[in-house]
């Protein structure tokens, strides 16, 4: 569903979490996702907690032709 919304132009949410489930480690994973996306020029919104997922605000999906 997240990908479908992204392709439709509504932004895309990213699920995340640490493998051990620890809150502090999970927040670090969320920060890494946001830094990676913003480092590539994407606009990301996230409140910095595990209660919300990082959201890629704009996505111009291009479909490759045959």
């Amino acid at each position: 569903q997240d990908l479908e919304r992204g392709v439709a132009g509504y932004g895309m949410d990213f699920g995340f979490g640490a493998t051990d489930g620890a809150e502090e480690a999970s927040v670090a994973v969320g920060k890494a996702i946001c830094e990676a996306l913003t480092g590539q020029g994407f606009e990301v919104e996230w409140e910095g907690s595990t209660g919300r997922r990082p959201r890629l605000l704009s996505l111009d999906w291009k479909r490759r032709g045959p």
Side-chain angles (χ1 to χ4, degrees), residues 15-41:
F16 69 99
T19 56
D20 64 4
E23 178 81 15
E24 189 174 317
S26 293
V27 169
V29 171
K31 286 180 183 178
I33 291 169
C34 292
E35 289 171 2
L37 291 169
T38 57
Q40 294 299 312

